[in-house]
Amino acid sequence: MSGSVFFLHMAGAVALLLWATRMVRTGVERAYGNVLRQRLRRTLGNPVLAALTGLAMAVALQSSTAVTLLIGSFAGLGIVTGLSGILAVRGAEVGSALVVKVLSFDLTLLVPICLLAGTVIFLTTERRQWRQFGRILVGIGLLILSLEMMSEAAEPLRQSTIVPLIVGYLSSDPISAFLLAAVVTYVFHSSIAAVLLLTTFAARGIVPPELGIVMVLGVNLGSSFIAPMLTRGSPPAYRVVPLGNLLMRGLGSVVLLAAFVVFDPSLERLGADPADRIIHAHIAFNILILLAGIPLSRLVLKATEAIVALQAGPKEEEPAAIRETSALDDGALTNPQQALANVTREAVRMCETIEFMLCRILELYEKADRRAIDALATMDDTVDRRHAAIKLYLARITERGMSDEEARRCQELLGVCVKLEQVGDIIVRNMLAHVEKKMERGVEFTPEGWRELSGFHGSVLANARLAFNLLVTRDAATARELVMEKDRLREVEKETSRRHFERLRQGSEQSVETSSIHLDTIRDLKQINSLLATLAYPVLEEQGLLSGSRLKAV
């Protein structure tokens, strides 16, 4: 096999691995993301539970980076402490390493089973959670298939005359091998993919275990850079946890590389098989960093906060999300098409603000203070200002004369902004009032009630994102799914109310104390969902997919 053909096959296998991992992560986030976030928030107060929860989430999401970013956002919002966040990320790294071990087993039989079952489930149901479960199964099947493709692509390298020279050079220069693995991992944005590629080469006798362990340490260095780079433009509080992980994992990999080169330890305890030795070294490294992180976490947190403060400087400007800018360029008013594009951009910014408010409101139900409440209320003022500016801008466009299609788009965008402004009002005037009432009374939801409330909120948030995407894509399938979700949530609301009244009949004291807050919140969320679902109507009407009335003929 020529070098170009090998690289083509290997690149395709790695690309499939990355895509399959993303499919699994996306399916888990869409189907169970809200539940995972709620459980993570509840356990982060306990260091041991934080590490275990981080481990479980990394296994579910197939990515320690995703967990790091999520926990970093919680720390930035003040929901968890930086100390608990750092320990949870350490657990996530161990979970990511355990995923590699699971995938190293012979799972060939699962490929057709997962692909067949996942495809059938995805195509035969319209329920969001089941469809995402089908997506997860297909992703798992493709992930295992990609490993087989990598193994087959690597087989011809055993007869190559060039590969031994490259391996020999890297074996004699561990620093270059270490840095090469770090760069490749950063390019992949996945330590799982990088370690699996190494184990494939080791299983074929291409990479010796000693070199593989050096490169595994490089993989951990490269992976520790991903989250800090992705959050480098975020507010300082959001960068503490990712940077703390870099200090612990990155410096740990450098220290252990030096120890490995100097002491040249025996590898017998890591297993007899070369691939197993690499995987076990990866797991052992992350467990060791987790154990070392427990006593050192406070020191790491202080160092990280000092570095972040130094980066921010004494007079750091407000985050870009807070500074108000406008896409409504007066110079484009003479060109209706360009002007409407500007309005669309401004409406998307309104969507981003509403999405943040919708995410934040549930966090305030769980943990609120006056400062956080006032900050969220202030965001509604931003929504109102953008809404007023868009209305005036659209009115000025209509004076210039537009085609029928442009006139319809103008009315559609006006309707979108009205709906977004109404959603903002519901969050601030209604739901924030419920938060204040709950805070003043010092009451808590029952575990069952909170699961219902957070689950309903998660569905509304997912639908909101569909609606916001629809503003740009105008995709008929997305619009249809959004309207179908409106009907489904109507039934979910009925079932939620039924279960709530059942708890009241059973005399649950907590249910009595929070009854009005619970029911009013569900009603507000349903109203928000209904408003956002109307964003799909213009797209469906344009495609001829919207009926004139829901009433039966009499």
Side-chain angles (χ1 to χ4, degrees), residues 64-65 67-73 75-76 82-83 85-87 89-90 93 220-221 223-252 289 296-312:
S64 59
T65 299
V67 179
T68 302
L69 295 174
L70 178 61
I71 295 173
S73 68
L83 187 64
I86 288 174
L87 290 176
V89 170
R90 295 274 26 93
E93 301 294 358
N220 283 277
L221 174 66
S223 179
S224 65
F225 272 98
I226 299 172
M229 293 302 293
L230 292 175
T231 57
R232 63 186 183 278
S234 301
Y238 289 73
R239 303 200 298 266
V240 171
V241 170
L243 189 57
N245 182 51
L246 172 60
L247 289 180
M248 295 183 73
R249 194 180 182 197
L251 289 178
I289 297 299
L296 295 176
S297 54
R298 294 185 184 278
L299 179 62
V300 171
L301 178 61
K302 290 182 180 180
T304 305
E305 290 175 340
I307 294 173
V308 170
L310 185 63
Q311 291 175 339

Side-chain angles (χ1 to χ4, degrees), residues 89-144:
V89 170
R90 295 274 26 93
E93 301 294 358
V94 175
S96 177
L98 292 177
V99 169
V100 177
K101 179 61 180 179
V102 173
L103 293 176
S104 68
F105 296 129
D106 185 5
L107 305 173
T108 306
L109 186 60
L110 287 180
V111 174
I113 295 175
C114 289
L115 292 178
L116 179 60
T119 302
V120 170
I121 292 172
F122 188 86
L123 295 179
T124 57
T125 181
E126 293 295 335
R127 295 188 61 181
R128 176 193 295 272
Q129 197 162 16
W130 277 103
R131 286 173 65 87
Q132 297 310 320
F133 182 66
R135 181 192 297 272
I136 293 169
L137 289 179
V138 172
I140 292 173
L142 293 177
L143 196 156
I144 300 171

Side-chain angles (χ1 to χ4, degrees), residues 35 64 75 92 102 160 176 208 250 253 299 337 348 366 395 409 413-414 419 441 454 456 471 476-477 481 535:
V35 175
S64 59
V102 173
S160 172
S176 295
S253 65
L299 179 62
Q337 186 175 10
V348 168
E366 190 171 13
R409 180 61 173 167
L413 289 170
L414 180 59
K419 299 298 189 302
R441 294 180 180 178
S454 59
F456 198 87
L471 182 62
E481 181 180 358
L535 272 60

Side-chain angles (χ1 to χ4, degrees), residues 28-40:
V28 172
E29 287 176 343
R30 292 179 180 177
Y32 312 107
N34 192 64
V35 175
L36 292 174
R37 290 184 182 93
Q38 295 305 323
R39 291 186 178 178
L40 181 61

